[in-house]
Amino acid sequence: MRSRLSEASRGWCHLWLEHCSEIFTFLRLLGTMPYFKQPKHFQTLTVVQWPLSYIVLFWILQPLFIYLLLTSLWLLPALYFTWLFLDWKTPERGGRRSAWVRNWCIWTHFRDYFPITMLKTKDLSPKHNYLMGVHPHGILTFGAFCNFCTEATGFSKIFPGITPHLATLSWFFKIPLIRDYIMAKGVCSVSQSAIDHLLSHGTGNLVGIVVGGVGEALQSVPNTTTLILQKRKGFVRTALQHGAHLVPTFSFGETEIFDQVLFHKDSRMHKFQNCFRRIFGFYFCMIYGRGFRQGSTGILPYPLPIITVGEWKKM
């Protein structure tokens, strides 16, 4: 197993070396595109609603549900929390996706804000399962989310018979309401049991893992791409165990859409970021982008193109 793991890991690196010419072609393509375009107002709102929806679910709807327990409407939250208890293990069993949520029209406007596109280089047979390594993480992984958690770029039409899943931190699925919302998009837990379940039950499943994890977010700055690959061979071992095909995926432009203030590793702020990471599972990044008015600075991502490219290899 160890020799096969080493061989598979080398194969993963060779795939990228074999396609260096494609990488440079896309980098040149990105360089010829206009640096900024002015998105339409509705496109901007759809980008804002993405993180805002989680804030509303966590800080407004959850307290509201708790408050309703003390009112005459107590039965409504009681039924939900009972169902939550019975449904607790669903994220470890492949989740529960909703074609309706994935096809919301807001995702097409979300896509057009940047825009986000996906380039198909190979057909994926529904007779196999696939484990996809997603690079890079960036700040919020916009490219992977739009391509694999929505139908904005037409994944189901481009790869018929393939069911995409994007894995994220397991503790998100312990938060009421939020767990249901992200599962509806096809997001699954990054736990070993969840990935094993998807790769061992049926075929046509594609599970995406952001290999570098949140550590790459702290190093995400424009004009630079930092990938964390050391000690990240677990997904290759999992592919070998299940006979799944590996799909390396790279989103060009993912690290260009936010500027970030970087702190020295000995600074207090960097220590705070590490402490925040240990508590919440992700880093507190000091980012900035464009504002709501043209030419202003704010918290919106820069409207720059993100192009996702992938290549497949059998393990």
Side-chain angles (χ1 to χ4, degrees):
M1 170 64 78
R2 183 172 299 177
S3 61
R4 292 189 64 195
L5 177 60
S6 299
E7 181 182 351
S9 300
R10 288 194 298 270
W12 182 268
C13 296
H14 289 162
L15 275 175
W16 290 118
L17 292 175
E18 290 171 1
H19 295 282
C20 277
S21 59
E22 295 181 20
I23 292 175
F24 292 132
T25 298
F26 280 109
L27 289 176
R28 287 196 296 269
L29 177 62
L30 289 176
T32 61
M33 294 181 178
Y35 187 66
F36 289 113
K37 67 179 182 63
Q38 185 65 14
K40 297 179 180 178
H41 293 304
F42 190 71
Q43 292 174 353
T44 300
L45 289 176
T46 58
V47 172
V48 172
Q49 68 79 32
W50 185 39
L52 187 62
S53 61
Y54 297 106
I55 295 174
V56 171
L57 286 171
F58 187 81
W59 292 107
I60 298 179
L61 291 186
Q62 284 197 97
L64 178 61
F65 264 48
I66 295 173
Y67 168 75
L68 289 177
L69 286 171
L70 308 176
T71 70
S72 59
L73 298 176
W74 64 270
L75 185 60
L76 180 62
L79 288 174
Y80 173 77
F81 287 121
T82 300
W83 175 80
L84 177 64
F85 174 77
L86 298 174
D87 190 60
W88 191 251
K89 293 185 178 180
T90 296
E92 303 295 322
R93 299 170 180 169
R96 181 179 50 255
R97 63 203 299 111
S98 168
W100 176 63
V101 173
R102 289 174 56 86
N103 282 280
W104 281 354
C105 65
I106 60 174
W107 305 129
T108 59
H109 296 284
F110 179 96
R111 172 202 66 197
D112 294 339
Y113 174 92
F114 297 95
I116 297 172
T117 55
M118 178 170 55
L119 181 65
K120 174 182 177 180
T121 61
K122 296 278 187 177
D123 288 324
L124 299 181
S125 171
K127 296 180 181 179
H128 306 289
N129 285 323
Y130 303 88
L131 192 55
M132 176 175 61
V134 178
H135 309 280
H137 185 285
I139 298 297
L140 292 174
T141 325
F142 283 100
F145 166 76
C146 187
N147 286 311
F148 309 122
C149 299
T150 79
E151 290 296 330
T153 55
F155 183 93
S156 295
K157 294 180 180 179
I158 297 174
F159 299 104
I162 302 296
T163 303
H165 305 265
L166 186 63
T168 190
L169 298 174
S170 300
W171 72 267
F172 281 128
F173 298 94
K174 303 183 188 302
I175 306 175
L177 300 178
I178 287 181
R179 68 188 292 276
D180 302 295
Y181 184 45
I182 61 177
M183 277 197 296
K185 300 172 186 175
V187 179
C188 68
S189 171
V190 76
S191 67
Q192 187 66 50
S193 59
I195 296 172
D196 286 340
H197 180 91
L198 287 168
L199 296 180
S200 60
H201 286 72
T203 59
N205 291 310
L206 182 147
V207 184
I209 300 176
V210 185
V211 179
V214 294
E216 287 183 356
L218 199 61
Q219 303 179 51
S220 177
V221 291
N223 302 317
T224 302
T225 299
T226 301
L227 303 181
I228 299 177
L229 299 176
Q230 289 185 339
K231 299 180 180 180
R232 303 296 173 104
K233 298 179 181 179
F235 72 101
V236 179
R237 182 183 296 107
T238 299
L240 286 170
Q241 290 173 343
H242 294 280
H245 294 206
L246 281 175
V247 183
T249 306
F250 198 99
S251 290
F252 295 94
E254 186 70 52
T255 61
E256 306 296 321
I257 57 179
F258 280 112
D259 282 301
Q260 180 174 188
V261 180
L262 300 181
F263 300 93
H264 190 271
K265 62 179 182 179
D266 295 325
S267 66
R268 291 183 179 180
M269 189 61 195
H270 192 271
K271 293 177 181 178
F272 166 76
Q273 289 177 317
N274 286 326
C275 181
F276 190 94
R277 160 72 172 81
R278 287 192 293 269
I279 296 173
F280 296 102
F282 57 92
Y283 286 102
F284 179 83
C285 298
M286 298 289 289
I287 60 173
Y288 62 95
R290 64 176 287 265
F292 287 92
R293 291 183 299 177
Q294 188 172 8
S296 62
T297 300
I299 59 173
L300 294 172
Y302 297 123
L304 297 171
I306 299 175
I307 303 174
T308 301
V309 190
E311 182 66 54
W312 70 275
K313 179 180 178 65
K314 184 177 180 180
M315 287 293 101

